[in-house]
Amino acid sequence: MPAVFAVAIVHDRVMKIAILMIVSCALLSCADAGAVTAQSPQTPVAVPIVSAPPVPTPAVEHKRLLEELAALRQKNEALALESKFADLRVELIDNQTNWFEIVTSSMIGLFGVLITVIVIFFALRFGKAAVAEAREELRKDREDIVQLLADAKASVAEIQTHRETAKQLIGDLKPGEVPTDPKVQADLREIADAALAKPRRDRSIDDYRALVMAAFLDKDWSAMERRSSAMIYMFEDDIDEESLCFALFNRAYALGELDQRAEAIAIYGEIVSRFSSSEHHDLQTQVAMALLNQGYELGALNRRAEALVIYDDIMTRFGKSHHPELQERVAKALVNKGIELAALNRRAEAITVCDDVVTHFGGNKRPELQEPVARALINKGLELGALDRKVDAITTYDDIVKRFGGSENPDLQTHVAKALVCKGVVLGALDRGTDALVTYDDVVARFGDSEHHGLQQQVAKALVCKGCDLGALDQGAEALIAYNDVVMRFAGSACPDLQKQVANALFNTACIHALDANVADSIETL
């Protein structure tokens, strides 16, 4: 920057000098022109002075006039020649002045260019290292920026993919369903947390879906009911049918869990009224689910006759459907109908309904339909035992083990374990205690290492029942081992059903000590 200012100062001074030179030359030229004009030759005219000239004659006067005319012509020619010489001199002086201006301007321009070149040369010379260093820094910064942009694009793409996946996940969730995959559950909670951070007016329908499902995962039924209600209220004017059904169903489900069953039944009825005529398959499935849950809530309120009507309605509406989800609802409706008939002491009818489940769905390999079949067979065995048809009950339990014993599905394995425990109880009731012990040991051998709560409950029951049968066989020491096994396995569990079995084991242990007159140990156990 200082070099640029120096060039400007030099250039300004040169311009001033040049202007002064041009003015001086012009003044000199004007003085020279005046001198030349003053020294130009003049022809003087002598005017004779006479006191009284004689009167000329005409001839003499004519001659005199001719001579004066000739003299005037000569004088005019001399003046014209002098004027031409003066013009030529002025033109020559003008030409010299123009050439001087041109040369001077050229010299000034060349001088300015020279100064500029010199400044640029020194600037480049002394700034070369700095420029090189700056270029290297810029190159590094550019590489960093390019990498950051690439990372940013990748992050944006990942976020977008995550959002689309999450949106699809939330959109695909059916009423009463929650994802079972831990990764998906974590994603769902993350979406719900982001929705909670938004103002209520900025939340979308998908945000509310996520919030409802997160409450479902946490079993926070109050929050689930509030969020479902808010979803209906916030989008009352422009909510689509599926989202409305989703919100209504989950609100009803939460109310049922909050023991507000009458309100839940009314909302399930509203779903049936609103959407039963829809031809949309998903809505038909949700209608079936609403009817199924409505029947369950009626049974819980001991309104069993009304529940039976609901289950028959499901059969009428969807009994002939071949769609897997509707078949699943029909199978569950039949199972629940059998339970209600048994509760009404209509056991023969209950057994018939259980047989209907096996007849319609026993050959289907879908786990969603195998589970109702296994449940129906368990219920059939219980009803046969209640009717004192114990051998038929054992046959039914063996059928369950044969059908599903090799399955790796935890729900089906739980039914197998339960069938074996029930079989052991029936064998004990038939005074076949040894066979019962073998059956209980089979349960422990099959499922003793499982961490599934349903299977752990059956293992605990098998061990308690084994202790009881050993006590009945006067094998108190072995019974104490069985009870102690229950305590060692499940005393630290928070599961209420397992804690119940631990309590049974401890009580039975105390009873054995009491029977052996070991009061101190009995009291310590209790």
Side-chain angles (χ1 to χ4, degrees), residues 53-239:
V55 178
T57 62
V60 175
E61 184 66 21
H62 177 74
K63 182 178 181 180
R64 185 184 65 81
L65 290 174
L66 290 175
E67 289 176 353
E68 287 182 3
L69 180 61
L72 289 172
R73 286 178 178 175
Q74 184 179 1
K75 183 178 180 180
N76 185 43
E77 290 176 0
L79 289 172
L81 181 61
E82 182 181 351
S83 177
K84 288 182 180 180
F85 278 112
D87 291 339
L88 289 172
R89 187 172 181 83
V90 170
E91 184 179 355
L92 179 61
I93 292 171
D94 290 340
N95 289 336
Q96 289 174 348
T97 301
N98 291 336
W99 278 107
F100 181 79
E101 290 178 354
I102 293 170
V103 171
T104 303
S105 299
S106 299
M107 290 180 66
I108 292 172
L110 289 172
F111 183 74
V113 171
L114 180 61
I115 293 298
T116 304
V117 170
I118 291 171
V119 172
I120 293 172
F121 171 76
F122 281 104
L124 290 174
R125 181 175 180 181
F126 291 105
K128 186 174 182 180
V131 170
E133 183 178 356
R135 285 180 176 175
E136 180 63 20
E137 291 297 327
L138 286 174
R139 184 186 65 79
K140 292 181 180 179
D141 290 344
R142 183 176 182 181
E143 290 178 354
D144 292 342
I145 291 171
V146 169
Q147 184 61 44
L148 287 172
L149 287 174
D151 294 342
K153 288 181 180 179
S155 298
V156 169
E158 184 178 356
I159 291 171
Q160 186 65 26
T161 301
H162 171 74
R163 286 178 177 176
E164 291 300 325
T165 302
K167 184 175 181 179
Q168 182 178 1
L169 163 68
I170 295 169
D172 289 343
L173 286 175
K174 300 295 190 298
E177 294 182 358
V178 291
T180 56
D181 187 334
K183 176 62 170 61
V184 176
Q185 290 182 357
D187 290 343
L188 186 59
R189 293 182 193 277
E190 183 179 343
I191 299 168
D193 289 341
L196 281 174
K198 298 179 181 179
R200 286 183 174 86
R201 64 179 178 276
D202 294 338
R203 293 174 187 169
S204 66
I205 288 181
D206 286 338
D207 287 336
Y208 274 101
R209 280 177 174 267
L211 289 169
V212 170
M213 288 295 95
F216 199 142
L217 288 172
D218 296 335
K219 299 186 185 306
D220 187 349
W221 308 120
S222 295
M224 183 175 172
E225 193 275 331
R226 290 196 311 272
R227 293 169 181 177
S228 299
S229 298
M231 183 176 175
I232 297 170
Y233 175 77
M234 294 295 291
F235 301 96
E236 181 180 7
D237 295 332
D238 57 355
I239 191 170

Side-chain angles (χ1 to χ4, degrees), residues 13-72:
R13 289 180 179 177
V14 170
M15 289 296 295
K16 289 180 179 179
I17 292 169
I19 292 168
L20 289 173
M21 290 174 66
I22 293 169
V23 173
S24 299
C25 290
L27 292 173
L28 290 173
S29 298
C30 292
D32 190 18
V36 172
T37 304
Q39 295 175 3
S40 298
Q42 300 289 333
T43 304
V45 178
V47 181
I49 300 175
V50 294
S51 57
V55 178
T57 62
V60 175
E61 184 66 21
H62 177 74
K63 182 178 181 180
R64 185 184 65 81
L65 290 174
L66 290 175
E67 289 176 353
E68 287 182 3
L69 180 61
L72 289 172

